[in-house]
Structures are given as C-alpha cells and as structure tokens.
Amino acid sequence: MKLYAYVQLLSGFNRPFLYAVSAALAEHIAIGTIVVVPLKDKLVGAVVTSIHHQLPEKISYQLKEIAAIEPMPDDPLYQKFVKTVAAYAFVSTLHFSGRIKSFLHEQKTADAKDSPSILPSMLTENVQLTDQQQAVVDYLEPFINQSAYAPTVIHGVTGSGKTEVYKKLITQALSLGKSAILMLPEVSLAVQFEHRLRKQLPGVLIFGFHSATNVTAKRELWQALLDHRPMLVIGVHLPIMLPMHKLGVIIIDEEHEQGFVEKKHPKLNSKELALWRAKIYGIPIVLGSATPSVNTLFQVEKQGWKLFQITQRFAGKFPEVKKVLLTEQDRRRKYFWVSKELEQAVNQTLARKEQVIIYINRRGFSFFVQCKLCGFIFQCPHCSVSLTLHMTTKPGHEKKSMLCCHYCEYKLVPPNSCTSCKAGSAHLLKKGIGTQQVVEIFQELFPHARIARADLDSTSKKKTWHKTVEQFEQGELDILIGTKSVTKGYHFPFVTLVGILWADLNLHFPAYNAAETTLQQIIQVAGRAGREHEKSTVIVQVLHDHQIFQYVNEERYLEFCKEELAMRQMAKYPPALRLASIELRHKDVVQLEADALAVCDQLQQYNKELKLEVAILGPSLPVVFKIQDYEMRHILLKAQSFGALHKLLQQIDRSAYVSEIFLVTSGE
C-alpha cells in the first residue's frame, strides 16, 4: 500500500510539504521521525507531521519521495521522556524535534577520529577531597554504578569545592561507559566550565551544547551520540533534550537560578525536565548550590530527597560582611552610589595588589530619563517599559548616548527637549544607575585601576567575555563591574573585596519570591571574595533596611529558608501550593480583554463542574503588559494539587479564541 507523509522542514518554511514514502521506508516512518527530503536541487532535514494511506489532496505536480530517514542515537527511553514533557507542557511531541534541528539541518557526517578517547587513568586531577565532599561521592557512586534514581541536593557554601565533587561523579560515570550532563543557568557560565573542564579532565570527551556552540561542534556532538561514545555535555536548556545512549548522571549547578526557565513559550523549566528524565531513566540527579531554592529544600523535607551540606571552604575564609545605609551617609561624598567605606576599602585593596568586584543588578547607564518639570518618562513605543540610557564609545570616536529597549531592541537618540512639555535638555534627569555609569564613576575615582565590565551586553559576546574572565583570573584586571553574570560559579583567587552598590534594588519587585532571589544574589556575589585569602570584605550598600540583611552571612542561609517557607505557607504561595498561569496575547486590546474574560468564565465553569478547588485570579495586567506591540493579560491558577491545575488547563479550547493563548505550567 502506498504511503504519503506531510513533513515540516527544519528550517526555512512554516507550511508543511507533502512527499511520497517508498516501500523501503514505509515500515520505519512514524510521526516525529526525522527525515531527509529533496527540495529543489538539494537535500534538507524535516520532521514527519502526519502519515496518510491515500493521497490527502489533489496535486498538479510530480510528487517526490522522502530520500532517507535520519539516523538517531540509540536511546530506548527517549520517546517516553518526550511524550511526558509534551503532555505536561500542552504541546505536540513535534515541538521537540525543533530542539535538535540546528545540527540535523543539512547534516554532514563529522569526522570524529581526532576527538579525545576515554582514558580512565587520565580522567581527573589528583585532588584530595575533604570528608564532607567524599561523603557525597561515596553516597552517589553506587547509584551511578547500578543506574538508580536518587535526587540529591548539595548545599555547599561558596568556595566549598562543589565542582570537585561533580568531576568525581562525572568521571565515575564515564569510566563505566556512561555519559553525563552538566547543566548551568547561563551560557557564559557554561562556556567557562567547558573551557576549565577541558583542561582539568584531559581524557574526557566534552561538548558544549548551547546558543554559543558553533555548527562544527554540533555536528561532532551528533556524530559522537550516533557512535554511542561516553561523553560529558555542558549547557543550559538544550542538553536535557538530547537522545543519549547510556545516560549515567545529571548534574545541575546553581540549581536555584531562574536561568533554567526558558524565556519563550512553552517556558519549560529545564531543571524540572532533568528531574523527570532522571526518574524515567532511573539515574541519579544532583542539584548543587550555595543557596538552594526554598522549593528544593521543601522537596528534601516532603519527598525525602537526600541533602548533603558542605560547610567548609576548600580554601580561604568567609569574608567579613558590612552593611552600609546610603541614606545615612555623608551626602557631601563625590558620588551618591559610592560610600566613604567602599571608596576607602577599594583604595586599600588596590594598594595590596588585590582585586575588587563591584555588583549592580542593572546594565546600561541609567534606568530611565525623566523630565523634572512635567514628569514625562521616555518609553518604548512597542513595549510597556521605559527606555534605558546606554552610552556607546568606540576608539577614536566621541561618546554617544542612546535610549534602548531591553525587550525589542528599539533605539532612540535622546532628544534635546522633553517630548511632552518641550522643556530643554537641562531639565531631563537621568534616574537610577547601571553598569556603564558605574564604570565611569570608578574610572574617575580610581584612574590607575584596570577596570572591565561584565553584564548581558558584554557576556553575550562569547570571545569577549571569555577573555575578560581569563584576564581577571590571571590578575591582569583590578576591578570587575557587573550584574549577576559575576555572581555564579566563578573562582577568582585574588578577589578580597566585593561591593554591592544597591542591595535592596529588587526587594520591592512584585514577586512572591523577591526576598529569596535577592538574598541568593547577594550571597552568591559575596561568595566571590576570599576564596584563597584569610581576610576579605563584602560591603553591602542599601537604601532601605530589610530583615533579609541579617542573613547575608551565608552560614545563616537555612535559617532564612525556614522563615521564608513559613511565610509562604501562610500566604499560600509555592512550594506550599502549586501555580500555573495562562497568558493571552493580541494587538487589539478590546479583543484581548474580551477573550481573557471569556477564558476566565470558562475556567470558573469547569472548575465548579469538576470540583477541582482551583483558585482562579484575574485576568490582570502583568508588570510588562506589552512587548513588540502585543498586549498581554494573565490569569493565575493556584491549587494544592498540580494534577488539579493540569486537569483544568486541559479544558481550554484555544482554537475558540482569536487571541494567542499560552498555558504556562509550573512544578513549583
């Protein structure tokens, strides 16, 4: 019997194309199969979206046949995992074919003969683990050997050597012919780990798989997967969706970070996907952090996950933490954002030939520009956010200012007058502070210091960021000024001073976990100090005092988590309850609001009929309610059981509405 198949090209076209299926391929074709098809004068990659036993449409052209089926790595549990994720996220399994299109599209067989082979005797440096580190390895090795599910949390203080534990677990898996996945919350951090582990584990086949990975490396990775070679794959989101032969262990570093949640729909949380994969595959999974999330610690208590604490630094001592209230400082100081204590401490540190990290969780020059006469703020015409002032400087050119949107990249040359009241430029105030302005301030205060910047604008450039990190590690820079890019996972041996310019900046953000994320960032950046020194200092500058600052000493972090969990339970927020949300998008506000109300009514009806006891809140405006001309409305769902949330979300018929509707699930 003749077969026909619609396929979706992996690149270039949104509409499906119809092809015939030869008798030789008929038994091996299924929905979701990756194939190679002829398109004009070349062969391209595609995924099968539907199969038909009769010609599904009239055609006036000669139908071409599918050329071949793309080989896939041998992973018998992969389809079960993909189906689980697809059902959870309310998407087709075909959605995940796109995750590997970047190296299947026009795939060429890579010659991997020059790749390093696995040499167990060369797997790791001769590092003597502490008793606390060794206890983690001793516990997990049997689970790696026997392939058994074991969710394990490592609460290791900053500088405690969690990476050394990871290396032992990775090499143990590879010595058994198994592979490992190491997940990190940012591409820049993944690049740094990849670079470092290649040096420290010279006999291990290591691949980075993330947005900064080049095409050649992706092809080599895919060929190694087809050849069933034991390997370590490092990345943020992509590695967890790879089919892998004999996956032995999954490690998630900085597990508390929101960087594991994808920004685009369906906004999957790669940490949750990793937990499902570990359970389905029956392998151990390790979640490590100096500041474990409240949700993870809740799972330790309620689900019996194993918790290990590494309370001692591998080298160096914990820094002395000093809190400075900026509002109580001498206002005659040259710059409001640099207290006398911080300025003096920087001078003393530089005099000792040691290094400084300055942290401010805002990039750009100023948050926004506002007219002091009428209050007008320059805003993005396409997004509901103010424009951030950036300064651009090129060698041999004048400094230029630019107002930029961080959501749609809209740019505007700052006008010479207020758009609203026409007041002159003298009345336009630059509000707030960002990394660019901090660099200028510190260059003026410390003219002989070698200063570099590390924020999203700079770290998105792989080579530039790698060079900056390398220079700072080797002592070729004196001061590193950055956002949270500098807070995670890096080991800078000569840093003895950390200054946090505005520690309470995000405390008043409308999020139930604002206190948790703020404290985590402070502890993480403070942990860069004193990693190989007996004496170091952290100066925490604040505008408003808050109770979380009594827990800035990371040895008290678990005390904070206990109090925070009690507050969440009282307020009925995760992890005490489960959350999910619905996001509606449309350019027509009237249509959007009508659809949002209709969806809410539909949810209320099904909630009552099915007796699910789900709290339905909204529709409401999100903090940022317009992006790239699309307005948004949110509906929030809260319930004791995630099953109840999922069952209610299943009732929504998205095709019945004009607005785009995205269902955002959450395991928290």
Side-chain angles (χ1 to χ4, degrees):
M1 183 181 290
K2 192 70 174 177
L3 282 184
Y4 306 90
Y6 278 107
V7 304
Q8 184 75 49
L9 300 185
L10 293 177
S11 179
F13 294 89
N14 291 325
R15 68 182 182 89
F17 288 85
L18 181 64
Y19 286 86
V21 181
S22 67
L25 298 181
E27 293 183 7
H28 308 287
I29 287 284
I31 294 175
T33 301
I34 306 294
V35 295
V36 177
V37 297
L39 183 70
K40 295 184 179 180
D41 57 349
K42 60 182 179 181
L43 296 176
V44 298
V47 57
V48 177
T49 58
S50 64
I51 297 173
H52 305 270
H53 294 281
Q54 296 180 343
L55 195 64
E57 61 176 279
K58 291 182 179 180
I59 57 173
S60 58
Y61 54 88
Q62 184 178 359
L63 200 62
K64 295 181 179 180
E65 288 189 344
I66 292 174
I69 294 177
E70 191 69 62
M72 293 286 285
D74 180 23
D75 186 342
L77 293 171
Y78 185 69
Q79 287 303 318
K80 180 180 179 181
F81 168 62
V82 168
K83 288 177 181 178
T84 300
V85 174
Y88 167 82
F90 298 102
V91 295
S92 166
T93 55
L94 299 175
H95 169 82
F96 300 102
S97 299
R99 297 300 183 92
I100 53 176
K101 72 179 182 182
S102 57
F103 52 87
L104 284 181
H105 179 54
E106 296 182 359
Q107 180 72 33
K108 297 178 181 178
T109 302
D111 184 1
K113 64 185 179 185
D114 295 328
S115 299
S117 58
I118 301 299
L119 302 173
S121 62
M122 294 174 59
L123 286 180
T124 187
E125 300 169 313
N126 185 23
V127 175
Q128 184 66 40
L129 298 184
T130 66
D131 291 343
Q132 290 181 330
Q133 291 172 316
Q134 190 63 49
V136 182
V137 175
D138 291 343
Y139 172 78
L140 283 167
E141 279 190 343
F143 292 101
I144 295 174
N145 297 345
Q146 299 163 16
S147 295
Y149 179 58
T152 304
V153 180
I154 302 176
H155 174 209
V157 297
T158 55
S160 61
K162 293 184 290 294
T163 304
E164 294 301 325
V165 175
Y166 301 158
K167 285 158 58 178
K168 291 289 185 181
L169 299 175
I170 290 165
T171 55
Q172 174 64 16
L174 269 64
S175 68
L176 298 170
K178 300 178 180 182
S179 291
I181 291 175
L182 172 60
M183 295 169 59
L184 299 137
E186 283 189 2
V187 171
S188 60
L189 192 56
V191 170
Q192 180 70 8
F193 261 75
E194 181 186 346
H195 177 74
R196 180 172 293 167
L197 292 181
R198 284 185 190 278
K199 290 181 178 179
Q200 297 176 351
L201 305 176
V204 173
L205 185 59
I206 298 176
F207 290 101
F209 186 39
H210 39 69
S211 59
T213 307
N214 62 44
V215 174
T216 300
K218 291 173 182 176
R219 289 173 176 166
E220 290 176 352
L221 166 60
W222 188 250
Q223 189 60 50
L225 289 168
L226 290 173
D227 293 340
H228 302 160
R229 303 184 68 189
M231 69 185 75
L232 168 64
V233 183
I234 303 172
V236 183
H237 306 296
L238 296 176
I240 204 60
M241 296 307 302
L242 280 174
M244 298 182 75
H245 180 69
K246 288 187 178 180
L247 182 58
V249 64
I250 300 171
I251 299 169
I252 305 175
D253 194 30
E254 310 295 351
E255 69 83 25
H256 65 282
E257 276 289 338
Q258 286 298 302
F260 291 114
V261 180
E262 295 184 353
K263 293 178 175 61
K264 295 182 179 179
H265 287 285
K267 293 188 177 180
L268 296 173
N269 186 333
S270 296
K271 183 172 76 172
E272 291 180 352
L273 269 56
L275 285 161
W276 283 332
R277 188 159 190 180
K279 191 169 186 177
I280 291 170
Y281 282 59
I283 59 174
I285 179 168
V286 180
L287 300 94
S289 176
T291 54
S293 69
V294 171
N295 183 65
T296 293
L297 294 173
F298 182 77
Q299 301 305 321
V300 169
E301 180 181 336
K302 296 297 181 181
Q303 300 296 330
W305 292 5
K306 185 70 174 178
L307 172 66
F308 285 94
Q309 287 186 268
I310 306 178
T311 58
Q312 302 167 344
R313 282 197 159 186
F314 202 67
K317 300 291 183 183
F318 290 112
E320 178 187 3
V321 180
K322 298 178 180 179
K323 182 181 68 177
V324 176
L325 276 169
L326 289 171
T327 52
E328 294 180 359
Q329 286 289 300
D330 183 354
R331 292 187 178 275
R332 291 174 297 177
R333 62 187 184 272
K334 190 168 186 179
Y335 292 104
F336 174 80
W337 297 106
V338 182
S339 64
K340 291 293 184 181
E341 286 91 340
L342 180 57
E343 184 178 357
Q344 183 180 10
V346 172
N347 275 317
Q348 292 172 348
T349 303
L350 296 178
R352 296 193 300 267
K353 306 296 183 183
E354 295 166 356
Q355 290 177 310
V356 180
I357 288 178
I358 300 297
Y359 172 74
I360 173 73
N361 197 27
R362 290 284 180 175
R363 56 193 172 112
F365 190 86
S366 297
F367 291 4
F368 55 88
V369 177
Q370 184 175 30
C371 175
K372 69 179 181 181
L373 295 185
C374 71
F376 175 81
I377 296 174
F378 289 92
Q379 292 192 309
C380 176
H382 309 291
C383 308
S384 59
V385 295
S386 59
L387 295 172
T388 301
L389 182 65
H390 284 252
M391 295 294 182
T392 58
T393 54
K394 293 182 179 179
H397 292 76
E398 289 185 9
K399 183 189 299 182
K400 293 184 179 180
S401 59
M402 186 70 69
L403 289 167
C404 305
C405 175
H406 289 166
Y407 284 86
C408 72
E409 298 183 359
Y410 170 83
K411 294 181 180 178
L412 174 70
V413 176
N416 293 322
S417 61
C418 173
T419 304
S420 179
C421 72
K422 309 305 178 184
S425 59
H427 298 286
L428 299 180
L429 302 177
K430 301 175 180 67
K431 295 292 189 74
I433 190 170
T435 50
Q436 287 185 324
Q437 188 178 351
V438 175
V439 168
E440 289 194 3
I441 290 172
F442 274 72
Q443 284 174 337
E444 185 171 336
L445 289 175
F446 312 102
H448 301 296
R450 298 164 296 176
I451 301 173
R453 179 166 59 95
D455 55 22
L456 188 59
D457 297 320
S458 58
T459 59
S460 59
K461 300 175 183 177
K462 175 182 173 182
K463 290 183 179 179
T464 302
W465 173 235
H466 178 70
K467 184 179 180 181
T468 300
V469 170
E470 197 171 61
Q471 287 178 323
F472 199 61
E473 283 182 328
Q474 295 175 358
E476 296 174 9
L477 296 171
D478 301 311
I479 302 175
L480 185 63
I481 296 169
T483 57
K484 61 182 181 180
S485 299
V486 302
T487 68
K488 299 182 280 287
Y490 294 109
H491 180 82
F492 300 124
F494 308 115
V495 172
T496 58
L497 174 65
V498 168
I500 304 174
L501 295 192
W502 191 354
D504 54 318
L505 174 60
N506 292 332
L507 270 177
H508 307 292
F509 191 79
Y512 70 86
N513 61 344
E516 177 187 3
T517 56
T518 298
L519 181 60
Q520 286 168 341
Q521 285 184 4
I522 293 171
I523 289 176
Q524 290 286 342
V525 71
R528 301 313 106 192
R531 296 170 80 95
E532 292 192 14
H533 285 76
E534 295 296 308
K535 189 176 181 181
S536 60
T537 305
V538 176
I539 295 178
V540 181
Q541 297 185 160
V542 301
L543 283 176
H544 301 282
D545 207 352
H546 191 281
Q547 62 181 10
I548 70 162
F549 296 121
Q550 64 183 302
Y551 300 107
V552 171
N553 183 331
E554 63 180 290
E555 293 170 294
R556 297 192 62 194
Y557 178 73
L558 291 184
E559 294 178 42
F560 162 80
C561 290
K562 185 177 181 180
E563 290 192 10
E564 179 72 6
L565 180 57
M567 291 179 64
R568 301 261 188 98
Q569 289 171 328
M570 287 176 57
K572 296 184 178 180
Y573 276 109
L577 271 78
R578 299 297 184 97
L579 291 183
S581 66
I582 300 165
E583 181 175 289
L584 293 91
R585 290 186 178 185
H586 203 280
K587 290 186 176 181
D588 186 330
V589 178
V590 175
Q591 182 66 59
L592 175 67
E593 293 186 345
D595 284 347
L597 289 171
V599 170
C600 238
D601 290 342
Q602 185 184 33
L603 288 171
Q604 296 286 7
Q605 179 184 342
Y606 282 118
N607 190 36
K608 186 176 180 180
E609 289 178 2
L610 299 173
K611 300 179 180 179
L612 295 175
E613 298 184 356
V614 175
I616 302 170
L617 308 175
S620 62
L621 284 169
V623 176
V624 178
F625 60 85
K626 186 170 76 170
I627 296 178
Q628 297 180 8
D629 294 321
Y630 277 89
E631 290 263 352
M632 291 169 286
R633 298 295 182 269
H634 283 178
I635 300 170
L636 183 66
L637 309 178
K638 297 169 69 173
Q640 291 283 350
S641 162
F642 180 70
L645 292 176
H646 204 268
K647 190 172 183 179
L648 185 57
L649 290 171
Q650 284 178 312
Q651 311 306 314
I652 299 175
D653 181 7
R654 283 180 276 181
S655 64
Y657 302 95
V658 177
S659 301
E660 290 183 288
I661 299 178
F662 301 97
L663 309 179
V664 183
T665 56
S666 172
E668 295 195 336

